[in-house]
């Protein structure tokens, strides 16, 4: 699908978010609006009663065809903190296992008068496909499709960087590991570039860099020691074996020796550099425990900020077509 088509599907006629499928086709103003809205939700997660009534009466359906810990649970918590009703479909015990098509599953659940689908699927384009077929009042949020996109992860990563007090455009960012199979890397690169970051370094063995990766607007590095020098942010990625067919690395031991983030290597970055990882982490494969649990790691902060960011995206998407201002509604 072309960017213009995705853009017209994601945004309503006034340019407001209707579906959130990919960062491509969006604009810096909208990304900043999502983060500003998330700021207003950070305090909700610190209240004794962690709820606001913004989506009372709405129904959110979590439809995860692929495994997830962080994304599924933070979407569920985000929806509940907005007072929506949440339905978690267990794909393993659903009629999908009896051969029901994706579209039939969607149509049947839609007949229960739901308002939002949060979709994770192994196939790139699955969330777009669903968005093309739902009723006009229903929103679709992409919670990760194949190796294509994971836009809410990109947004929570940007929000984590912003909350760490760093100014985005001037940052040097290293993205390290299995970039070839990473939907997180793709979404993150688009989001960083939209917000003006120009020094983005993709660091990986040649076998794990996409063909024409430089077209994404990044510099390519196959030596971690050289690539990490002086960066402000290090984003580590897992080897995504579930999307690999064939041998991309000689062994995990050799991979860790060349591309694992250790304290020695991290010392080559700026002294105040932060370490990020979308999870799940594989200790001793792409990251050493000393770094994953160290003072520069913001890995658990990323999980924490997943809730206000997803609250922001859900509330904005479900209220498109109105002059909705979550901050004003909360203040009233
Ligand atoms: N970051 C991420 O997508 O993690 P999960 O697979 O646990 O949702």
């Amino acid at each position: 699908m072309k960017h213009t088509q995705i853009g017209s599907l994601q945004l309503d006629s006034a340019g407001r978010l209707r579906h959130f499928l990919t960062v491509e086709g969006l604009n810096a103003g909208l990304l900043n609006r999502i983060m500003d809205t998330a700021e207003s939700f950070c305090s909700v997660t610190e209240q004794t009663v962690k709820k606001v009534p913004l989506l009372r009466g709405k129904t959110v359906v979590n439809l995860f065809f692929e495994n997830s810990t962080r994304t599924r649970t933070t979407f569920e918590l985000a929806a509940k903190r907005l007072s929506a009703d949440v339905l978690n479909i267990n794909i393993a015990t659903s009629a999908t296992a009896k051969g029901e098509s994706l579209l039939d599953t969607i149509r049947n659940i839609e007949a229960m008068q739901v308002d939002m689908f949060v979709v994770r699927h192994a196939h790139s384009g699955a969330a777009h496909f669903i968005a093309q077929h739902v009723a006009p009042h229903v929103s679709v949020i992409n919670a990760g499709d194949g190796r294509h996109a994971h836009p809410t992860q990109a947004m929570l990563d940007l929000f984590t960087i912003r909350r760490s007090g760093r100014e985005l455009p001037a940052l040097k960012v290293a993205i390290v590991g299995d970039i070839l199979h990473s939907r997180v890397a793709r979404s993150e690169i688009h989001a960083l570039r939209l917000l003006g970051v120009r020094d983005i370094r993709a660091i990986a063995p040649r076998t794990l860099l996409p063909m024409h990766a430089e077209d994404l607007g990044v510099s390519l590095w196959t030596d971690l020691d050289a690539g990490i020098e002086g960066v402000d942010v290090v984003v580590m990625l897992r080897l995504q074996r579930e999307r690999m067919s064939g041998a991309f690395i000689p062994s995990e031991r050799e991979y860790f020796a060349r591309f694992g983030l250790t304290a020695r290597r991290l010392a080559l970055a700026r002294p105040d550099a932060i370490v990020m990882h979308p999870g799940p982490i594989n200790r001793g494969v792409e990251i050493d425990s000393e770094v994953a649990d160290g003072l520069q790691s913001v890995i658990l902060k990323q999980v924490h900020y997943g809730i206000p960011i997803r609250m922001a995206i859900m509330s904005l998407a479900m209220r498109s077509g109105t002059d909705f201002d979550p901050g004003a509604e909360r203040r009233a």
Side-chain angles (χ1 to χ4, degrees):
M1 195 184 287
K2 292 202 176 84
H3 290 184
T4 46
Q5 290 170 300
I6 296 169
S8 59
L9 191 60
Q10 292 200 103
L11 305 177
D12 67 13
S13 55
R16 288 171 293 213
L17 196 66
R18 181 162 125 60
H19 304 294
F20 194 47
L21 308 172
T22 174
V23 175
E24 289 164 90
L26 300 183
N27 55 66
L30 186 54
L31 301 197
N32 281 320
R33 176 141 202 244
I34 289 170
M35 289 195 279
D36 293 344
T37 306
E39 286 295 345
S40 79
F41 288 131
C42 281
S43 58
V44 173
T45 61
E46 281 145 28
Q47 290 168 193
T48 318
V49 180
K50 298 180 181 60
K51 263 187 194 285
V52 285
L54 290 171
L55 296 187
R56 192 160 49 199
K58 301 285 187 185
T59 303
V60 174
V61 180
N62 267 334
L63 206 50
F64 277 60
F65 293 88
E66 250 192 8
N67 295 342
S68 168
T69 298
R70 283 145 288 270
T71 312
R72 200 196 62 72
T73 48
T74 52
F75 262 115
E76 181 173 352
L77 280 173
K80 285 179 171 167
R81 288 180 187 176
L82 291 166
S83 305
D85 296 317
V86 185
L87 202 57
N88 289 306
I89 307 287
N90 184 345
I91 297 299
T93 59
S94 75
T96 303
K98 297 180 193 167
E100 185 173 68
S101 74
L102 176 59
L103 197 50
D104 282 332
T105 301
I106 295 296
R107 289 203 166 123
N108 277 271
I109 298 171
E110 208 180 31
M112 301 169 202
Q113 289 168 309
V114 304
D115 301 284
M116 174 174 277
F117 288 104
V118 177
V119 182
R120 169 167 289 191
H121 204 287
H123 289 134
S124 298
H128 286 103
F129 174 75
I130 294 170
Q132 284 171 307
H133 289 91
V134 291
H137 74 280
V138 176
S139 291
V140 179
I141 310 288
N142 184 3
D145 62 326
R147 58 164 93 169
H148 171 238
H150 196 347
T152 63
Q153 179 71 45
M155 289 311 305
L156 74 89
D157 287 354
L158 292 189
F159 191 58
T160 304
I161 296 171
R162 183 167 118 166
R163 281 232 133 199
S164 74
R166 285 158 178 82
E167 291 292 330
L168 274 164
L171 291 182
K172 296 178 169 61
V173 180
I175 303 178
V176 186
D178 183 2
I179 294 165
L180 178 65
H181 300 101
S182 176
R183 55 197 176 203
V184 174
R186 233 166 295 279
S187 290
E188 197 135 312
I189 290 165
H190 286 301
L192 287 166
R193 286 193 57 80
L194 266 182
L195 292 184
V197 180
R198 288 293 167 262
D199 191 343
I200 308 171
R201 307 174 188 187
I203 309 174
R206 219 168 276 287
T207 50
L208 291 176
L209 283 170
M211 295 249 284
H212 312 298
E214 61 280 356
D215 293 352
L216 294 169
V218 298
S219 58
L220 306 183
W221 303 72
T222 53
D223 179 342
L224 177 53
D225 284 11
I228 202 173
E229 204 175 319
V231 301
D232 305 273
V233 179
V234 186
V235 180
M236 298 305 297
L237 299 172
R238 173 178 71 86
L239 291 172
Q240 287 144 85
R241 297 217 176 267
E242 71 276 21
R243 284 190 266 282
M244 288 184 191
S245 53
F248 286 81
I249 54 163
S251 69
E252 286 186 352
R253 197 184 155 102
E254 195 166 319
Y255 180 79
F256 183 71
R258 286 191 58 210
F259 290 95
L261 187 62
T262 58
R264 180 194 70 74
R265 285 207 167 106
L266 182 57
L268 300 169
R270 278 179 57 101
D272 61 348
I274 55 172
V275 176
M276 307 178 77
H277 193 310
I281 63 173
N282 288 141
R283 294 168 186 267
V285 179
E286 73 272 5
I287 191 166
D288 197 37
S289 282
E290 190 185 356
V291 175
D293 304 327
L295 291 175
Q296 288 169 265
S297 168
V298 294
I299 295 171
L300 294 180
K301 283 195 179 141
Q302 290 172 262
V303 180
H304 175 79
Y305 290 133
I307 298 174
I309 274 290
R310 288 175 172 129
M311 289 172 80
I313 291 164
M314 292 170 120
S315 58
L316 289 169
M318 247 192 271
R319 305 296 286 266
S320 68
T322 70
D323 290 326
F324 175 54
D325 174 358
E329 277 199 28
R330 290 193 50 236
R331 287 189 293 278

